[in-house]
Amino acid sequence: MADIDTFDLLSKLTAEGCSLGELITIASELAQAGKPQVADQAYKIWARFNPEHPQLCVALFNRSVLQSALGDNAGAAASLEQAITLNPDFMPAYVNLGGLQERAGLGELAIATWELGANRSASINGMAVSYAFTCLKQIARLLGDLHQPARAEMALQRAADIDPHAMDVIGQLVATRLSQCKWPVLAPSERVSRETLLRGVNPLSIAAYTDDPMLLLAAANTLIEREVKATPEQVRADRRDAPIDLTGRRLRIGYISSDLRDHAVGYLMAELFEVHDKKKVEVFAYYCGPESSDGLNTRIRAAVEHFIDIRPMSDDEAAQRIVDDGIDILIDVNGHTRDARTAVFARRPAPILVNWLGYPGTMGSDFHHYIIADPWIIPPEMEHYYSEAVRRIPCYQPNDRRRYVQEGCPTRAEAGLPEDGFVFCCFNGVQKITPHVFDRWMQILKRTPGSVLWLLDSNPEANARLRDSAEAKGVDRTRIVFAPKLQNAYHLARYRLADLFLDTTPYGAHTTASDALWMAVPVLTWSGRSFASRVCGSLVRSAGQPEMVVDSGEAYVEKAVEIGADREKARALRATLEANRDSCVLFNMDLLADSLETLYGEMVAEYRAGGRPNPDLTNLDVYMNVGLELDQDQREMQAVEDYEGLYRQALARRHKLRSIPADNRIWTPDARRTAI
């Protein structure tokens, strides 16, 4: 076929009875022979001579794929439009046409095309339903990117009703409700139960939903088992158990992250890369995020010795590159977050694999050996909530002392704030606001006359819902003020207008807390049991204000009201932060870098001594089922005093608990093996 001349090709395609199958064979052979343009012409000629063929739409679809590959997107779109005109029930054409329209910047047209496809009901069969499902997923994805969560939720709900077992759809559906402050977050439907919803939620969303660290461990393990696959052949045995010989060389540390750019993690890590001791460690950054050349990305590229873009690489290729680089310790700076490359870690391309910073919680995998925390985030009595071995540095979170803050500051009037009223603020993502948190905020406003609550602008649906909720609780809706999103330097500058930062729970402030403390705005937080609920407490304590970390919801309200009624107290807290900024642990990046480097050395020493941790995930499926059964909507788990007792009772009801360990704990791997 590669040597066929034009005349022979024309004769074959115009001959009476040339079937669609023969055409597809001819075109495929031409394309494989490096002649896609000729293959395109083959489809064009055949279509011209077979205008009444009942499957002409298939030929047009195939031609559109070739046209798109050749860069003729307009021609590809025209072919698909013709296919749909000929056969409005030809579902694949809707999927691909919408994709072409999206790439052309015609987002709303793409959504309309996918809507047409999703609404075709003339011939419902297995494949048609599958294509309708795909159209709905595409609609939801694009609307999510366009920050239109209400419309995205409708598409996701329809997709979930089609396939209640599509866990990625379920996870997005719940996350979308979180982003709109739609309470209760878990809203069952006729086809989707509450248990199915919770089972499909990404652990990152669970961290915002409830303070239940055992459920978080089990859910993380469930996600790993469901989505992260690595065959024995894919596991890089040549580095998994390789000896670490540092004779004549430095320790090789690799950081994998999609967020080494204009992102919260990028802001946190930029200076760390600059202060790492190049005499001790050789730093490799493996980037897996969106294409970026912003200021932070450029700065990080300049700071590390090796910056490798693994976006175009498959998981196997990325793992092999890490093997070839001879990495000793590989740091997962994504965890269970967007654009993560967890499957690369599953291939075990380095002897030591570590979970740090990008995801506030345990990975629940059998291949992450360590998690890096600090004494407050994971105290010894809470280590059993983590699959990894816990290692600690003085303060878990790095910071950037070089962050640029715009000179000057808007006036309160310009920001829509009262000139003399007390300004409570919270610039956390709206998905972190729970009904319990919001209720406490309203109590604080009621007891602090003239005060306002300054929140970060999110989306119109969430803003309106929060103001409606305030009004329903007897608080004037105008006392909720929204700050429009600004470039970070300007956002930092306006922090000066706030008097007190009110943290959320169970998923508290992380980067936002560091920003507030850097700008000398005191932060009030209530630490729970889970990782995400304790980070803010660590930061506040590391900034020198442990008294701002309370131990109950009631204490949180009382402390906020006390400070809100005493401006001098608020000013004194601010003055302490300003005085401590250059000396406190929170902003001591030299200490953090040195602590990490020492910790890395200790991990290597443990490895050499045969002491590398081996995660034990025994019976986590049972604990997952218990967590699913507990009523997490009405009960604020963080306020439950006997948390372990709650699980113990649930296990007993399931007739699984044969004995309780002598120390009355049910959480350790040994206890999980023997007690269930």
Side-chain angles (χ1 to χ4, degrees), residues 69 72 141 155 158 180 231 303 329 451 455 477 489 597 659:
D72 182 12
R141 176 192 55 77
R158 290 174 62 191
Q180 299 173 82
T231 66
I329 300 178
S451 65
L455 304 177
R477 63 190 299 114
E597 290 153 8
S659 62

Side-chain angles (χ1 to χ4, degrees), residues 183 424 433-448 451-455 465-477 479-481 502 556-557 561:
W183 307 321
F424 297 102
I433 302 175
T434 70
H436 305 292
V437 166
F438 194 76
D439 182 64
R440 280 191 282 273
W441 286 350
M442 295 305 100
Q443 293 179 48
I444 292 166
L445 289 184
K446 284 181 177 180
R447 294 175 58 187
T448 314
S451 65
V452 297
L453 178 60
W454 196 21
L455 304 177
R465 193 165 287 111
L466 290 172
R467 279 181 163 157
D468 289 346
S469 297
E471 203 163 59
K473 292 179 181 296
V475 176
D476 189 329
R477 63 190 299 114
R479 294 179 69 185
I480 309 293
V481 181
L502 296 177
Y556 176 94
V557 172
V561 172

Side-chain angles (χ1 to χ4, degrees), residues 574-603:
R574 181 186 290 274
T576 300
L577 290 173
E578 289 176 339
N580 290 348
R581 188 167 64 180
D582 294 334
S583 59
C584 68
V585 171
L586 178 59
F587 300 119
N588 189 339
M589 288 305 97
D590 298 298
L591 172 64
L592 182 135
D594 183 68
S595 299
L596 278 177
E597 290 153 8
T598 299
L599 186 60
Y600 294 155
E602 292 171 354
M603 290 175 180

Side-chain angles (χ1 to χ4, degrees), residues 222-437:
T222 298
L223 182 63
I224 290 286
E225 293 294 319
R226 184 172 68 227
E227 297 186 6
V228 182
K229 309 294 182 184
T231 66
E233 293 75 24
Q234 290 172 321
V235 174
R236 311 306 309 180
D238 48 344
R239 279 301 288 169
R240 176 183 180 180
D241 300 308
I244 299 179
D245 183 2
L246 299 180
T247 304
R249 71 171 178 87
R250 295 166 291 162
L251 192 61
R252 297 191 185 105
I253 306 298
Y255 295 91
I256 294 187
S257 177
S258 63
D259 303 325
L260 304 179
R261 53 189 171 88
D262 186 4
H263 182 279
V265 171
Y267 281 101
L268 294 177
M269 293 194 74
E271 189 178 356
L272 169 64
F273 291 125
E274 294 165 343
V275 299
H276 254 318
D277 188 343
K278 303 302 191 296
K279 295 178 181 178
K280 295 180 181 178
V281 295
E282 184 177 0
V283 177
F284 295 71
Y286 298 97
Y287 182 65
C288 56
E291 184 174 354
S292 177
S293 59
D294 59 47
L296 270 178
N297 184 269
T298 301
R299 180 179 164 192
I300 292 170
R301 286 175 185 266
V304 300
E305 293 175 83
H306 311 276
F307 192 98
I308 302 99
D309 189 345
I310 62 172
R311 289 177 303 142
M313 300 182 192
S314 68
D315 293 328
D316 286 333
E317 291 168 339
Q320 186 60 56
R321 173 58 192 263
I322 293 164
V323 169
D324 294 341
D325 288 338
I327 298 300
D328 301 308
I329 300 178
L330 188 64
I331 316 296
D332 188 345
V333 195
N334 265 109
H336 294 305
T337 64
R338 185 172 182 174
D339 296 324
R341 297 295 294 270
T342 314
V344 173
F345 285 83
R347 285 155 173 76
R348 299 161 171 83
I352 300 171
L353 307 178
V354 179
N355 169 20
W356 180 55
L357 190 64
Y359 169 70
T362 181
M363 287 301 294
S365 80
D366 64 351
F367 44 84
H368 287 83
H369 303 112
Y370 297 98
I371 183 171
I372 298 176
D374 61 40
W376 184 258
I377 294 176
I378 309 180
E381 65 271 20
M382 294 183 181
E383 290 186 5
H384 43 273
Y385 301 144
Y386 299 84
S387 60
E388 308 92 339
V390 179
R391 295 295 180 267
R392 299 174 180 87
I393 55 179
C395 180
Y396 144 91
Q397 185 169 288
N399 272 282
D400 181 16
R401 295 170 296 189
R402 292 179 52 195
R403 70 187 89 190
Y404 175 65
V405 180
Q406 181 66 29
E407 292 185 9
C409 177
T411 65
R412 280 194 166 189
E414 290 170 338
L417 300 169
E419 195 62 43
D420 298 319
F422 196 92
V423 176
F424 297 102
C425 81
C426 181
F427 292 147
N428 290 352
V430 69
Q431 74 278 3
K432 297 182 181 182
I433 302 175
T434 70
H436 305 292
V437 166

